[in-house]
Short mmCIF file of all heavy atoms in Angstrom, two decimals:
data_model
loop_
_atom_site.label_atom_id
_atom_site.label_comp_id
_atom_site.label_asym_id
_atom_site.label_seq_id
_atom_site.Cartn_x
_atom_site.Cartn_y
_atom_site.Cartn_z
N GLY A 253 32.49 91.59 45.28
CA GLY A 253 32.78 91.92 43.81
C GLY A 253 31.64 91.41 42.86
O GLY A 253 31.26 92.12 41.96
N ARG A 254 30.99 90.39 43.26
CA ARG A 254 29.86 89.86 42.48
C ARG A 254 28.47 90.43 43.00
O ARG A 254 27.43 90.28 42.35
CB ARG A 254 29.84 88.42 42.49
CG ARG A 254 30.94 87.72 41.78
CD ARG A 254 30.94 86.14 41.98
NE ARG A 254 31.96 85.47 41.39
CZ ARG A 254 32.52 84.39 41.81
NH1 ARG A 254 31.96 83.67 42.80
NH2 ARG A 254 33.56 83.82 41.16
N LYS A 255 28.44 90.85 44.26
CA LYS A 255 27.20 91.40 44.98
C LYS A 255 26.31 90.27 45.20
O LYS A 255 25.06 90.51 45.28
CB LYS A 255 26.63 92.51 44.06
CG LYS A 255 27.47 93.70 43.96
CD LYS A 255 26.71 94.92 43.37
CE LYS A 255 27.71 96.13 43.31
NZ LYS A 255 26.95 97.23 42.66
N VAL A 256 26.80 89.01 45.32
CA VAL A 256 25.97 87.91 45.74
C VAL A 256 26.84 87.03 46.72
O VAL A 256 28.03 87.22 46.77
CB VAL A 256 25.50 87.02 44.55
CG1 VAL A 256 24.61 87.88 43.69
CG2 VAL A 256 26.68 86.59 43.72
N ALA A 257 26.22 85.99 47.25
CA ALA A 257 26.93 85.11 48.14
C ALA A 257 27.69 84.10 47.22
O ALA A 257 27.26 83.68 46.22
CB ALA A 257 25.98 84.34 49.04
N ASN A 258 28.92 83.61 47.72
CA ASN A 258 29.52 82.48 47.30
C ASN A 258 28.72 81.22 47.50
O ASN A 258 28.54 80.42 46.75
CB ASN A 258 30.93 82.39 47.66
CG ASN A 258 31.81 83.63 47.36
OD1 ASN A 258 31.95 83.96 46.23
ND2 ASN A 258 32.48 84.12 48.31
N TRP A 259 28.36 81.20 48.81
CA TRP A 259 27.59 80.11 49.34
C TRP A 259 26.74 80.48 50.52
O TRP A 259 27.06 81.49 51.25
CB TRP A 259 28.48 78.83 49.76
CG TRP A 259 29.68 79.12 50.59
CD1 TRP A 259 30.95 79.41 50.23
CD2 TRP A 259 29.60 79.21 52.13
NE1 TRP A 259 31.65 79.62 51.42
CE2 TRP A 259 30.84 79.46 52.48
CE3 TRP A 259 28.61 79.14 52.97
CZ2 TRP A 259 31.32 79.65 53.77
CZ3 TRP A 259 28.89 79.34 54.34
CH2 TRP A 259 30.25 79.49 54.79
N VAL A 260 25.65 79.75 50.77
CA VAL A 260 24.90 80.01 51.95
C VAL A 260 24.69 78.68 52.64
O VAL A 260 24.28 77.71 51.86
CB VAL A 260 23.48 80.57 51.56
CG1 VAL A 260 22.64 80.86 52.74
CG2 VAL A 260 23.78 81.93 50.81
N SER A 261 24.76 78.50 53.96
CA SER A 261 24.76 77.29 54.57
C SER A 261 23.67 77.44 55.65
O SER A 261 23.67 78.41 56.46
CB SER A 261 26.14 76.94 55.21
OG SER A 261 26.08 75.59 55.73
N TRP A 262 22.91 76.30 55.95
CA TRP A 262 21.88 76.41 56.99
C TRP A 262 21.49 74.97 57.54
O TRP A 262 21.69 73.98 56.85
CB TRP A 262 20.57 77.08 56.68
CG TRP A 262 19.81 76.62 55.59
CD1 TRP A 262 18.73 75.82 55.70
CD2 TRP A 262 20.04 76.69 54.13
NE1 TRP A 262 18.18 75.52 54.40
CE2 TRP A 262 18.95 76.01 53.55
CE3 TRP A 262 20.96 77.24 53.34
CZ2 TRP A 262 18.84 75.99 52.12
CZ3 TRP A 262 20.93 77.17 51.95
CH2 TRP A 262 19.83 76.64 51.43
N GLU A 263 21.03 74.91 58.84
CA GLU A 263 20.45 73.72 59.20
C GLU A 263 18.92 73.71 59.18
O GLU A 263 18.37 74.76 59.16
CB GLU A 263 20.73 73.59 60.82
CG GLU A 263 20.17 72.45 61.54
CD GLU A 263 20.32 72.54 63.08
OE1 GLU A 263 20.17 73.67 63.54
OE2 GLU A 263 20.72 71.56 63.69
N LEU A 264 18.45 72.46 58.80
CA LEU A 264 17.05 72.40 58.64
C LEU A 264 16.40 71.23 59.39
O LEU A 264 16.95 69.99 59.24
CB LEU A 264 16.69 72.21 57.13
CG LEU A 264 15.21 71.94 56.89
CD1 LEU A 264 14.32 73.28 57.37
CD2 LEU A 264 14.79 71.89 55.39
N ASN A 265 15.53 71.45 60.43
CA ASN A 265 14.83 70.37 61.05
C ASN A 265 13.45 71.06 61.45
O ASN A 265 13.32 72.24 61.16
CB ASN A 265 15.60 69.84 62.21
CG ASN A 265 15.95 70.86 63.24
OD1 ASN A 265 15.34 71.65 63.69
ND2 ASN A 265 17.29 70.85 63.58
N THR A 266 12.60 70.41 62.22
CA THR A 266 11.33 70.88 62.42
C THR A 266 11.27 72.06 63.38
O THR A 266 10.38 72.77 63.42
CB THR A 266 10.39 69.70 63.04
OG1 THR A 266 11.14 69.20 64.24
CG2 THR A 266 10.19 68.66 62.02
N SER A 267 12.43 72.28 64.07
CA SER A 267 12.54 73.50 64.94
C SER A 267 12.50 74.75 64.26
O SER A 267 12.24 75.83 64.90
CB SER A 267 13.69 73.36 66.00
OG SER A 267 14.82 73.66 65.22
N TYR A 268 12.75 74.71 62.93
CA TYR A 268 12.70 75.95 62.22
C TYR A 268 11.40 76.20 61.47
O TYR A 268 11.20 77.21 60.71
CB TYR A 268 13.81 75.97 61.22
CG TYR A 268 15.20 75.81 61.75
CD1 TYR A 268 15.83 74.60 62.01
CD2 TYR A 268 15.89 77.03 62.11
CE1 TYR A 268 17.06 74.46 62.62
CE2 TYR A 268 17.18 76.95 62.78
CZ TYR A 268 17.75 75.74 62.88
OH TYR A 268 18.88 75.64 63.56
N LEU A 269 10.49 75.23 61.51
CA LEU A 269 9.27 75.24 60.71
C LEU A 269 8.01 75.48 61.53
O LEU A 269 7.86 74.99 62.65
CB LEU A 269 9.11 73.97 60.03
CG LEU A 269 10.20 73.47 59.06
CD1 LEU A 269 9.98 72.16 58.50
CD2 LEU A 269 10.42 74.47 58.05
N GLY A 270 7.17 76.49 61.18
CA GLY A 270 5.98 76.88 61.86
C GLY A 270 4.86 77.32 60.83
O GLY A 270 4.76 76.61 59.69
N SER A 271 4.14 78.33 61.14
CA SER A 271 3.12 78.85 60.18
C SER A 271 3.26 80.28 59.96
O SER A 271 2.22 80.81 59.35
CB SER A 271 1.85 78.55 60.95
OG SER A 271 1.62 79.21 62.21
N THR A 272 4.37 80.81 60.06
CA THR A 272 4.55 82.29 59.77
C THR A 272 4.48 82.45 58.18
O THR A 272 4.95 81.69 57.47
CB THR A 272 5.90 82.71 60.25
OG1 THR A 272 5.89 82.58 61.63
CG2 THR A 272 6.12 84.21 59.87
N ASP A 273 3.72 83.49 57.91
CA ASP A 273 3.63 83.81 56.41
C ASP A 273 4.83 84.44 55.81
O ASP A 273 5.72 84.96 56.67
CB ASP A 273 2.51 84.86 56.20
CG ASP A 273 1.18 84.30 56.46
OD1 ASP A 273 1.00 83.13 56.29
OD2 ASP A 273 0.28 85.16 56.92
#
Side-chain angles (χ1 to χ4, degrees):
R254 294 177 181 151
K255 298 186 180 180
V256 295
N258 299 309
W259 51 264
V260 180
S261 183
W262 67 98
E263 179 188 43
L264 177 60
N265 56 53
T266 54
S267 74
Y268 299 95
L269 303 177
S271 57
T272 299
D273 292 334

